[in-house]
């Protein structure tokens, strides 16, 4: 379990964490304050655009079999639907922020404890 925690959870969380990115970006600002607008801009310019966040996520979901390329674009596979159902189950179980599990109902979602 320790190996799982260290070699899977830590690298994955660091790689995917927006919080880690924002804290690290702020640290590199040499003690200068940052506005909300500057954080938004850094996230968009660096994390999304320069680091191609969406392309990376598409590639990993194609590789895992959760999505496939169709003539009409990207499509969720049966495996992808099972993955979403499992994520929603565990999200409910642990009372996580439901906005990420039901993005089209973001206004109705609540944040867990």
């Amino acid at each position: 379990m320790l190996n799982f925690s260290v070699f899977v959870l830590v690298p994955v969380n660091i790689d995917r964490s927006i919080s880690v990115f924002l804290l690290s970006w702020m640290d590199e600002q040499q003690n200068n304050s940052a506005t909300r607008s500057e954080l938004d801009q850094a996230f968009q310019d660096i994390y999304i655009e320069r680091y191609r966040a969406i392309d990376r996520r598409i590639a990993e979901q194609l590789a895992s079999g959760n999505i496939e390329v169709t003539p009409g674009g990207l499509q969720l596979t049966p495996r992808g639907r099972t993955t979403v159902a499992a994520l929603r189950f565990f999200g409910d179980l642990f009372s996580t922020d439901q906005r990420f599990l039901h993005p089209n109902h973001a206004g109705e979602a609540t944040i867990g404890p």
Side-chain angles (χ1 to χ4, degrees), residues 21-22 25 29 36-49:
F21 170 82
L22 291 175
W25 182 84
Q29 301 312 302
R36 164 65 191 268
S37 178
E38 289 170 328
L39 290 171
D40 283 342
Q41 195 64 53
F43 179 74
Q44 181 65 38
D45 292 348
I46 301 169
Y47 193 94
I48 300 293
E49 299 295 330

Side-chain angles (χ1 to χ4, degrees), residues 41-100:
Q41 195 64 53
F43 179 74
Q44 181 65 38
D45 292 348
I46 301 169
Y47 193 94
I48 300 293
E49 299 295 330
R50 187 186 316 163
Y51 296 162
R52 299 176 40 189
I54 301 299
D55 292 336
R56 291 177 58 203
R57 297 321 184 266
I58 290 171
E60 74 185 17
Q61 295 309 311
L62 286 167
S64 69
N66 287 327
I67 62 174
E68 62 187 354
V69 178
T70 69
L74 298 169
Q75 180 79 38
L76 198 61
T77 64
R79 179 185 183 131
R81 291 192 190 288
T82 300
T83 299
V84 171
L87 292 169
R88 287 179 174 159
F89 171 80
F90 285 109
D92 288 343
L93 184 66
F94 293 104
S95 299
T96 63
D97 187 339
Q98 296 294 299
R99 294 176 296 174
F100 301 112

Side-chain angles (χ1 to χ4, degrees), residues 6-55:
V6 173
F7 295 113
V8 175
L9 295 178
V10 172
V12 168
N13 282 320
I14 290 172
D15 180 57
R16 300 186 173 288
S17 177
I18 295 169
S19 297
V20 170
F21 170 82
L22 291 175
L23 292 171
S24 298
W25 182 84
M26 290 177 74
D27 182 60
E28 292 179 350
Q29 301 312 302
Q30 301 176 353
N31 295 324
N32 292 327
S33 297
T35 65
R36 164 65 191 268
S37 178
E38 289 170 328
L39 290 171
D40 283 342
Q41 195 64 53
F43 179 74
Q44 181 65 38
D45 292 348
I46 301 169
Y47 193 94
I48 300 293
E49 299 295 330
R50 187 186 316 163
Y51 296 162
R52 299 176 40 189
I54 301 299
D55 292 336

